[in-house]
PDB file of all heavy atoms in Angstrom:
ATOM      1  N   TRP P 998      -5.434  -2.832  -4.749  1.00 98.00           N
ATOM      2  CA  TRP P 998      -5.389  -1.608  -3.970  1.00 98.00           C
ATOM      3  C   TRP P 998      -5.026  -0.379  -4.794  1.00 98.00           C
ATOM      4  O   TRP P 998      -4.550   0.619  -4.244  1.00 98.00           O
ATOM      5  CB  TRP P 998      -4.402  -1.733  -2.779  1.00 98.00           C
ATOM      6  CG  TRP P 998      -4.476  -3.006  -2.008  1.00 98.00           C
ATOM      7  CD1 TRP P 998      -5.386  -4.020  -2.164  1.00 98.00           C
ATOM      8  CD2 TRP P 998      -3.618  -3.422  -0.939  1.00 98.00           C
ATOM      9  NE1 TRP P 998      -5.137  -5.019  -1.260  1.00 98.00           N
ATOM     10  CE2 TRP P 998      -4.057  -4.694  -0.507  1.00 98.00           C
ATOM     11  CE3 TRP P 998      -2.513  -2.829  -0.313  1.00 98.00           C
ATOM     12  CZ2 TRP P 998      -3.426  -5.382   0.527  1.00 98.00           C
ATOM     13  CZ3 TRP P 998      -1.896  -3.529   0.715  1.00 98.00           C
ATOM     14  CH2 TRP P 998      -2.337  -4.793   1.125  1.00 98.00           C
ATOM     15  N   ASN P1062       7.357   2.138  -8.917  1.00 98.00           N
ATOM     16  CA  ASN P1062       6.490   1.268  -8.099  1.00 98.00           C
ATOM     17  C   ASN P1062       6.753   1.518  -6.622  1.00 98.00           C
ATOM     18  O   ASN P1062       7.679   2.250  -6.272  1.00 98.00           O
ATOM     19  CB  ASN P1062       6.683  -0.205  -8.471  1.00 98.00           C
ATOM     20  CG  ASN P1062       8.094  -0.679  -8.231  1.00 98.00           C
ATOM     21  OD1 ASN P1062       8.508  -0.849  -7.087  1.00 98.00           O
ATOM     22  ND2 ASN P1062       8.850  -0.859  -9.291  1.00 98.00           N
ATOM     23  N   GLY P1063       5.943   0.908  -5.794  1.00 98.00           N
ATOM     24  CA  GLY P1063       6.055   1.178  -4.366  1.00 98.00           C
ATOM     25  C   GLY P1063       7.403   0.758  -3.784  1.00 98.00           C
ATOM     26  O   GLY P1063       7.985   1.464  -2.951  1.00 98.00           O
ATOM     27  N   SER P1064       7.902  -0.383  -4.230  1.00 98.00           N
ATOM     28  CA  SER P1064       9.188  -0.865  -3.716  1.00 98.00           C
ATOM     29  C   SER P1064      10.310   0.129  -4.040  1.00 98.00           C
ATOM     30  O   SER P1064      11.148   0.423  -3.181  1.00 98.00           O
ATOM     31  CB  SER P1064       9.528  -2.227  -4.321  1.00 98.00           C
ATOM     32  OG  SER P1064       8.463  -3.133  -4.160  1.00 98.00           O
ATOM     33  N   VAL P1067      10.270   3.172  -1.923  1.00 98.00           N
ATOM     34  CA  VAL P1067      10.843   2.945  -0.599  1.00 98.00           C
ATOM     35  C   VAL P1067      12.371   2.828  -0.683  1.00 98.00           C
ATOM     36  O   VAL P1067      13.090   3.402   0.131  1.00 98.00           O
ATOM     37  CB  VAL P1067      10.211   1.699   0.072  1.00 98.00           C
ATOM     38  CG1 VAL P1067      10.937   1.345   1.363  1.00 98.00           C
ATOM     39  CG2 VAL P1067       8.734   1.942   0.346  1.00 98.00           C
ATOM     40  N   TYR P1098       5.304  -3.873   5.857  1.00 98.00           N
ATOM     41  CA  TYR P1098       5.559  -4.339   4.480  1.00 98.00           C
ATOM     42  C   TYR P1098       5.874  -3.123   3.631  1.00 98.00           C
ATOM     43  O   TYR P1098       5.115  -2.159   3.604  1.00 98.00           O
ATOM     44  CB  TYR P1098       4.348  -5.081   3.909  1.00 98.00           C
ATOM     45  CG  TYR P1098       4.546  -5.475   2.468  1.00 98.00           C
ATOM     46  CD1 TYR P1098       5.278  -6.610   2.136  1.00 98.00           C
ATOM     47  CD2 TYR P1098       4.056  -4.687   1.428  1.00 98.00           C
ATOM     48  CE1 TYR P1098       5.499  -6.958   0.816  1.00 98.00           C
ATOM     49  CE2 TYR P1098       4.274  -5.023   0.098  1.00 98.00           C
ATOM     50  CZ  TYR P1098       4.995  -6.165  -0.200  1.00 98.00           C
ATOM     51  OH  TYR P1098       5.216  -6.489  -1.515  1.00 98.00           O
ATOM     52  N   HIS P1099       6.998  -3.180   2.924  1.00 98.00           N
ATOM     53  CA  HIS P1099       7.413  -2.021   2.131  1.00 98.00           C
ATOM     54  C   HIS P1099       7.791  -2.378   0.698  1.00 98.00           C
ATOM     55  O   HIS P1099       8.360  -1.546  -0.001  1.00 98.00           O
ATOM     56  CB  HIS P1099       8.579  -1.314   2.831  1.00 98.00           C
ATOM     57  CG  HIS P1099       8.236  -0.854   4.215  1.00 98.00           C
ATOM     58  ND1 HIS P1099       7.425   0.253   4.449  1.00 98.00           N
ATOM     59  CD2 HIS P1099       8.527  -1.362   5.439  1.00 98.00           C
ATOM     60  CE1 HIS P1099       7.262   0.405   5.763  1.00 98.00           C
ATOM     61  NE2 HIS P1099       7.920  -0.561   6.384  1.00 98.00           N
ATOM     62  N   GLY P1100       7.485  -3.611   0.285  1.00 97.00           N
ATOM     63  CA  GLY P1100       7.791  -3.995  -1.081  1.00 97.00           C
ATOM     64  C   GLY P1100       8.732  -5.181  -1.128  1.00 97.00           C
ATOM     65  O   GLY P1100       9.099  -5.741  -0.088  1.00 97.00           O
ATOM     66  N   GLU P1176       4.613   2.314   7.841  1.00 98.00           N
ATOM     67  CA  GLU P1176       3.343   2.634   7.198  1.00 98.00           C
ATOM     68  C   GLU P1176       2.531   3.441   8.206  1.00 98.00           C
ATOM     69  O   GLU P1176       2.313   2.965   9.313  1.00 98.00           O
ATOM     70  CB  GLU P1176       2.589   1.346   6.843  1.00 98.00           C
ATOM     71  CG  GLU P1176       3.299   0.455   5.844  1.00 98.00           C
ATOM     72  CD  GLU P1176       2.816  -0.988   5.921  1.00 98.00           C
ATOM     73  OE1 GLU P1176       1.834  -1.315   5.237  1.00 98.00           O
ATOM     74  OE2 GLU P1176       3.410  -1.793   6.661  1.00 98.00           O
ATOM     75  N   ASP P1210       5.631   5.483   4.650  1.00 98.00           N
ATOM     76  CA  ASP P1210       5.337   4.705   3.447  1.00 98.00           C
ATOM     77  C   ASP P1210       3.825   4.754   3.219  1.00 98.00           C
ATOM     78  O   ASP P1210       3.074   3.981   3.808  1.00 98.00           O
ATOM     79  CB  ASP P1210       5.834   3.273   3.617  1.00 98.00           C
ATOM     80  CG  ASP P1210       5.508   2.397   2.408  1.00 98.00           C
ATOM     81  OD1 ASP P1210       4.815   2.876   1.501  1.00 98.00           O
ATOM     82  OD2 ASP P1210       5.951   1.225   2.400  1.00 98.00           O
ATOM     83  N   VAL P1212       2.368   4.148   0.404  1.00 98.00           N
ATOM     84  CA  VAL P1212       2.095   3.464  -0.863  1.00 98.00           C
ATOM     85  C   VAL P1212       0.678   2.872  -0.875  1.00 98.00           C
ATOM     86  O   VAL P1212      -0.055   3.006  -1.854  1.00 98.00           O
ATOM     87  CB  VAL P1212       3.156   2.376  -1.139  1.00 98.00           C
ATOM     88  CG1 VAL P1212       2.753   1.492  -2.318  1.00 98.00           C
ATOM     89  CG2 VAL P1212       4.519   3.023  -1.418  1.00 98.00           C
ATOM     90  N   ALA P1213       0.285   2.254   0.237  1.00 98.00           N
ATOM     91  CA  ALA P1213      -1.060   1.657   0.298  1.00 98.00           C
ATOM     92  C   ALA P1213      -2.110   2.675   0.733  1.00 98.00           C
ATOM     93  O   ALA P1213      -3.249   2.651   0.273  1.00 98.00           O
ATOM     94  CB  ALA P1213      -1.069   0.473   1.250  1.00 98.00           C
ATOM     95  N   LYS P1239       0.723   3.191  -5.245  1.00 98.00           N
ATOM     96  CA  LYS P1239      -0.469   2.459  -5.702  1.00 98.00           C
ATOM     97  C   LYS P1239      -1.579   3.314  -6.350  1.00 98.00           C
ATOM     98  O   LYS P1239      -1.893   3.121  -7.505  1.00 98.00           O
ATOM     99  CB  LYS P1239      -1.047   1.633  -4.557  1.00 98.00           C
ATOM    100  CG  LYS P1239      -0.167   0.426  -4.242  1.00 98.00           C
ATOM    101  CD  LYS P1239      -0.852  -0.558  -3.338  1.00 98.00           C
ATOM    102  CE  LYS P1239      -0.062  -1.851  -3.236  1.00 98.00           C
ATOM    103  NZ  LYS P1239       0.843  -1.922  -2.089  1.00 98.00           N
TER     104      LYS P1239
HETATM  105  C1  PLP O2069       2.262  -2.482  -2.052  1.00 65.41           C
HETATM  106  C2  PLP O2069       3.159  -1.793  -1.098  1.00 65.41           C
HETATM  107  C3  PLP O2069       4.502  -1.541  -1.414  1.00 65.41           C
HETATM  108  C4  PLP O2069       5.145  -2.081  -2.659  1.00 65.41           C
HETATM  109  O1  PLP O2069       4.619  -1.528  -3.818  1.00 65.41           O
HETATM  110  P1  PLP O2069       4.867  -2.259  -5.234  1.00 65.41           P
HETATM  111  O2  PLP O2069       4.318  -1.299  -6.216  1.00 65.41           O
HETATM  112  O3  PLP O2069       4.118  -3.551  -5.163  1.00 65.41           O
HETATM  113  O4  PLP O2069       6.329  -2.467  -5.364  1.00 65.41           O
HETATM  114  C5  PLP O2069       5.251  -0.810  -0.535  1.00 65.41           C
HETATM  115  N1  PLP O2069       4.729  -0.350   0.614  1.00 65.41           N
HETATM  116  C6  PLP O2069       3.447  -0.574   0.951  1.00 65.41           C
HETATM  117  C7  PLP O2069       2.917  -0.006   2.214  1.00 65.41           C
HETATM  118  C8  PLP O2069       2.623  -1.324   0.121  1.00 65.41           C
HETATM  119  O5  PLP O2069       1.360  -1.582   0.465  1.00 65.41           O
END
Side-chain angles (χ1 to χ4, degrees):
W998 316 354
N1062 61 72
S1064 308
V1067 172
Y1098 176 81
H1099 301 286
E1176 297 158 88
D1210 178 355
V1212 170
K1239 288 192 170 95

